[in-house]
C-alpha cells in the first residue's frame, strides 16, 4: 500500500522544503510508501519538474512515484492527503479583501476538485494564507466531503510559542507542552500559556519564579513576538518562513494521521466550541484520535483570555463576511 499525497504550490519555497522530507518518511513514517503529486500553475511547472528530478536522484526507498501537473483533476485524483500550499501572495497595493478574493478563486475550485476526484479518506492541510479562511472556502466548496477533513496550519505558531517559552525558562523545548493557539493564523492570534507545562509543572509558575510581572511579559513580549513572528522572519530573511513552515505542516499532518498522545493546536471547523461561531475555521487546542481532530473541551478561560480570543475570532468573522460578499460561500 502507498499513500497518495498532493502538494499544491510544489514548485515554490515551502514545496521544496516539504517534498524531500515527505519522501524520506518524516511525515508518514519509515514503513509507508508515498506517491507524490506536484500540482502547480503553468508558471510553476518548471520549478516543480526540477524538484521532481531531484527527488528521483534522491533514490528514496519510500518514494513510489512523482507526477507533476498543472491540471487540478489529475493532481487530486485519488489523493489521500492534500497539502494546499500554493496561494496568491499579497502584492503591492493589495488590500486584505483583494487577497481574499484572489485566494477564493484558488481554494474554491480546489475544494470542488477534491470533492470530485480525491479518495474517500482524503484529509486536507491548508498552509497557503490566509490559511483559516482558505480552509473554510475549500471545505465549503467540497460538497460531500465532511468539513472536518479540512484543517489549517497553526502548528508553526505553536512551535514558535514553545520555543519562546523554552528560551525564557532556559529549558529544553521538548519539555514544553500544552501551549494553545486560539483564533486566526494572523497577528490577532492568542498564544495561550494558561495550561502549558514545563516538565509537567505549570509554565506560568515557572515564569513567576523568574520574573515579577508575568502578565506584563505575556502582553508586551511573548504574545506580540509569537503573533508577529511571520513578519519578523520576512523582515530579516527577505521572504516568508519556509523550512519552519514546512516542518510544522509535516508535524500537523503526521499527528492528524497517526494521532497525538497530548494536545497540539490546529485550525479546525468550529461547531460552536468556546463560543466560536459554528462553521468558522479557528485554531483551538486539539487532540488527534483515530484520524480526527478533537477540540480539547472544558478549559477555563478568564476574561483576559476570552477578550483576546474574541478579537481574533472577530477577524475570522470579518474574513468570512468579505468572502460571502464575493458570493463564494
Ligand atoms: P512561494 O511563492 O515560494 O510558492 C507558492 C507556489 O504556489 C508558487 O510556485 C506558485 O506558482 C504556486 N501556486 C500559486 N497558485 C497556485 C494554484 N492555484 N495551484 C497550484 N499552485 C499554485 O510561496 P511559499 O513561501 O511556498 O508560501 C506558500 C504559502 O504559504 C503563502 O501563502 C504563505 O503566506 C503561506 N505560509 C503559511 C504559513 C502558515 O503557518 N500557515 C507559514 C508560512 C507561509
Ligand atoms: C508565517 O507565519 O511565517 C507566514 O504565515 C507568513 C506571514 O505572512 O506571516
Amino acid at each position: 500500500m502507498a499513500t497518495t499525497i498532493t502538494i499544491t504550490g510544489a514548485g515554490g519555497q515551502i514545496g521544496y522544503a516539504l517534498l524531500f522530507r515527505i519522501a524520506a518518511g518524516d511525515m508518514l513514517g519509515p514503513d509507508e510508501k508515498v506517491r507524490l503529486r506536484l500540482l502547480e500553475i503553468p508558471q510553476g511547472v518548471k520549478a516543480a519538474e526540477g524538484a521532481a528530478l531531484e527527488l528521483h536522484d534522491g533514490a528514496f526507498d519510500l518514494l513510489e512515484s512523482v507526477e507533476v501537473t498543472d491540471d487540478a483533476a489529475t493532481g487530486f485524483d485519488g489523493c489521500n492527503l492534500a497539502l494546499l500550499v500554493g496561494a496568491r501572495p499579497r502584492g503591492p497595493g493589495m488590500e486584505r479583501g483583494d487577497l481574499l478574493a484572489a485566494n477564493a478563486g484558488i481554494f474554491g475550485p480546489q475544494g470542488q476538485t477534491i470533492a470530485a476526484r480525491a479518495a474517500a479518506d482524503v484529509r486536507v492541510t491548508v498552509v497557503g494564507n490566509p490559511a483559516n479562511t482558505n480552509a473554510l472556502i475549500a471545505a465549503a466548496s467540497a460538497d460531500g466531503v465532511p468539513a472536518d477533513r479540512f484543517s489549517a496550519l497553526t502548528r508553526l505558531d505553536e512551535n514558535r510559542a514553545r520555543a519562546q517559552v523554552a528560551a525564557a525558562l532556559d529549558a529544553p523545548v521538548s519539555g514544553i507542552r500544552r501551549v494553545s493557539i486560539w483564533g486566526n493564523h494572523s497577528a490577532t492570534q492568542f498564544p495561550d500559556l494558561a495550561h502549558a507545562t514545563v516538565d509537567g509543572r505549570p509554565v506560568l509558575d515557572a515564569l513567576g519564579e523568574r520574573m515579577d510581572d508575568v502578565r506584563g511579559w505575556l502582553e508586551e513580549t511573548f504574545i506580540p513576538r509569537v503573533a508577529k513572528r511571520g513578519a519578523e522572519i520576512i523582515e530579516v530573511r527577505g521572504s516568508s518562513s519556509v523550512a519552519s513552515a514546512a516542518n510544522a505542516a509535516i508535524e500537523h499532518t503526521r499527528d492528524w494521521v497517526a494521532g497525538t498522545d497530548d494536545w497540539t493546536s490546529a485550525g479546525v471547523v468550529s461547531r460552536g466550541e468556546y463560543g466560536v461561531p459554528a462553521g468558522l475555521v479557528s485554531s483551538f487546542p486539539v487532540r488527534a484520535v483515530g484520524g480526527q481532530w478533537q477540540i480539547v473541551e472544558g478549559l477555563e478561560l478568564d476574561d483576559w483570555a476570552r477578550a483576546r480570543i474574541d478579537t481574533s475570532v472577530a477577524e475570522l468573522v470579518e474574513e468570512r463576511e468579505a468572502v460571502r460578499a464575493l458570493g463564494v460561500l
Side-chain angles (χ1 to χ4, degrees), residues 7-16 39-45 47-48 69-70 72 76 84-90 99 103 105-107 110 126-132 134 152-157 160 185 230 234 237 239-242 244-246 248-249:
I7 296 133
T8 72
Q13 298 239 62
I14 294 177
Y16 195 74
L39 177 59
E40 261 292 350
I41 49 176
Q43 305 91 290
V45 161
T69 181
D70 61 4
F76 290 118
L84 306 188
V85 180
R88 174 79 191 275
R90 194 200 290 252
L99 190 70
N103 282 302
I106 295 174
F107 287 84
Q110 287 184 348
V126 178
V127 177
N129 281 321
N132 299 55
N134 287 341
L153 186 70
T154 55
R155 180 63 163 262
L156 178 56
D157 307 297
R160 288 167 170 167
H185 171 66
I234 291 171
R237 245 191 118 243
S239 68
S240 65
S241 61
V242 176
S244 55

Side-chain angles (χ1 to χ4, degrees), residues 76-102:
F76 290 118
D77 192 42
C79 72
N80 309 103
L81 294 172
L83 276 66
L84 306 188
V85 180
R88 174 79 191 275
R90 194 200 290 252
M94 257 176 117
E95 298 302 328
R96 197 153 98 212
D98 302 329
L99 190 70
L100 285 168

Side-chain angles (χ1 to χ4, degrees), residues 8-179:
T8 72
Q13 298 239 62
I14 294 177
Y16 195 74
L18 274 172
L19 295 170
F20 300 87
R21 290 193 56 194
I22 296 173
D26 285 359
M27 193 163 83
L28 299 180
D31 300 320
E32 184 68 14
K33 298 224 183 239
V34 293
R35 299 188 198 110
L36 296 181
R37 297 269 179 69
L38 279 47
L39 177 59
E40 261 292 350
I41 49 176
Q43 305 91 290
V45 161
K46 275 282 174 205
E49 283 175 349
L53 294 180
E54 284 202 69
L55 281 164
H56 188 72
D57 293 349
F60 292 101
D61 290 346
L62 296 173
L63 184 58
E64 220 175 71
S65 64
V66 184
E67 198 176 333
V68 179
T69 181
D70 61 4
D71 175 55
T74 307
F76 290 118
D77 192 42
C79 72
N80 309 103
L81 294 172
L83 276 66
L84 306 188
V85 180
R88 174 79 191 275
R90 194 200 290 252
M94 257 176 117
E95 298 302 328
R96 197 153 98 212
D98 302 329
L99 190 70
L100 285 168
N103 282 302
I106 295 174
F107 287 84
Q110 287 184 348
Q112 286 167 6
T113 311
I114 286 168
R117 305 301 288 256
D121 67 348
V122 69
R123 284 181 181 71
V124 183
T125 297
V126 178
V127 177
N129 281 321
N132 299 55
T133 297
N134 287 341
L136 169 76
I137 292 166
S141 307
D143 264 355
V145 182
D148 64 6
R149 301 293 190 77
F150 291 78
S151 61
L153 186 70
T154 55
R155 180 63 163 262
L156 178 56
D157 307 297
E158 179 191 338
N159 287 345
R160 288 167 170 167
R162 289 176 59 227
Q164 291 299 325
V165 170
L169 295 178
D170 201 12
V173 75
S174 57
I176 314 291
R177 314 289 289 262
R178 299 196 167 191
V179 172

Side-chain angles (χ1 to χ4, degrees), residues 2-3 75 90 109 120 163 208 225 259 271 297 314:
T3 301
R90 194 200 290 252
R225 193 85 204 268
R271 288 182 314 243
E297 295 204 64

